[in-house]
Amino acid sequence: MNLPYHLARIFVLLIALILHEVAHAVVALWNGDPTAKNLGRISINPMRHFDYLGLLMILTLPVGYGKPVPINVYNFKRKRLGYFTVAIAGVTVNFLLSFILMGIYVPLMVYTRILSLGNFISSFLFYFFYLGIFINIYLMIFNLLPIYPLDGFRVVESITKERNPYTVFMRKYGQYILLGLIVISLMGEYIYPDLVISYPFLDPLSYVLNVVSRWIVNPILKLWQIIWGVA
């Protein structure tokens, strides 16, 4: 058992998920809606933010999600703008966390030996930064999928007409679609992993996360390398 890896993964997931959900609640309050605040969602207590299906994903897949933050759009000063900014608040925080961790990771790897000493602390720090970079990007990508109840669906709702066919359909069936994707990905992870090596799309969630994350992470790492003078 790689204890530093698993501890780092737990810390990263807790930080990423808690700050993601707190961001939704804080931005809702900024927009005039105290619903989430009154329900105790501006809290670092992880138990206030866990969703059963999202927790199952966290334990078995590279990504997951927290319990949706309750909002009342009729409290917003500007309804559509408020709904949109609340919807993107969580993924914005995940992106910023990943961006900052990359900015710290690059000089530590280049100018120090802290992350490569081979002891428990250095292994934990290496995994913390490495997993922190990718897990936050994974959470951002996953939550931007336009499937109810994810943030991407909320973004679609905020920029389209009320009760359009897509949002009506997703509110009825989105959870089942999401559950189906999770089941297929779990099968790919644990039942036919050898087949997934040849046909990665058989694990659709991991395939999308890995491909899109590289598009995002690689240019940002390059930017930080330029900034730190190690390109």
Side-chain angles (χ1 to χ4, degrees), residues 65 91 197 221:
Y65 63 94
V91 296
I197 293 173
L221 277 175

Side-chain angles (χ1 to χ4, degrees), residues 16-223:
L17 283 171
I18 290 171
L19 293 184
H20 178 107
E21 299 303 330
V22 168
H24 286 308
V26 168
V27 174
L29 186 62
W30 289 349
N31 279 283
D33 177 30
T35 304
K37 177 180 181 293
N38 293 340
L39 292 173
R41 296 300 299 274
I42 302 180
S43 168
I44 60 171
N45 180 357
M47 301 308 296
R48 293 184 181 273
H49 304 294
F50 279 142
D51 172 274
Y52 290 118
L53 184 56
L55 181 59
L56 172 65
M57 293 182 66
I58 290 167
L59 296 174
T60 56
L61 292 170
V63 74
Y65 63 94
K67 182 165 60 177
V69 169
I71 59 172
N72 184 347
V73 296
Y74 296 103
N75 287 331
F76 290 156
K77 300 162 190 172
R78 298 175 63 184
K79 182 178 174 182
R80 284 191 177 273
L81 179 62
Y83 197 27
F84 176 79
T85 54
V86 170
I88 66 168
V91 296
T92 301
V93 164
N94 291 135
F95 176 80
L96 290 174
L97 283 172
S98 183
F99 185 85
I100 292 167
L101 288 172
M102 279 188 259
I104 301 171
Y105 175 81
V106 168
L108 286 179
M109 283 295 289
V110 174
Y111 295 121
T112 78
R113 298 182 63 244
I114 292 174
L115 303 185
S116 58
L117 293 176
N119 57 39
F120 181 89
I121 294 175
S122 66
S123 295
F124 173 82
L125 288 173
F126 171 79
Y127 287 122
F128 179 83
F129 284 105
Y130 182 81
L131 293 173
I133 290 166
F134 280 96
I135 284 176
N136 275 286
I137 291 296
Y138 286 167
L139 284 171
M140 182 189 78
I141 297 166
F142 175 74
N143 277 283
L144 283 175
L145 295 176
I147 303 171
Y148 179 83
L150 302 178
D151 296 334
F153 172 78
R154 310 288 184 184
V155 171
V156 173
E157 268 197 325
S158 72
I159 60 177
T160 57
K161 293 181 179 179
E162 292 186 23
R163 297 193 60 78
N164 65 78
Y166 178 80
T167 57
V168 170
F169 174 84
M170 272 296 161
R171 281 198 170 274
K172 288 180 66 175
Y173 303 109
Q175 286 183 311
Y176 303 111
I177 294 171
L178 187 60
L179 181 60
L181 286 172
I182 294 168
V183 169
I184 293 169
S185 288
L186 284 172
M187 291 171 64
E189 288 273 338
Y190 299 104
I191 297 178
Y192 45 82
D194 294 337
L195 195 59
V196 170
I197 293 173
S198 301
Y199 306 99
F201 53 83
L202 293 176
D203 180 354
L205 286 178
S206 294
Y207 178 71
V208 170
L209 293 175
N210 289 329
V211 171
V212 179
S213 65
R214 287 197 297 270
W215 294 344
I216 298 170
V217 170
N218 290 343
I220 297 175
L221 277 175
K222 185 68 175 177
L223 173 63

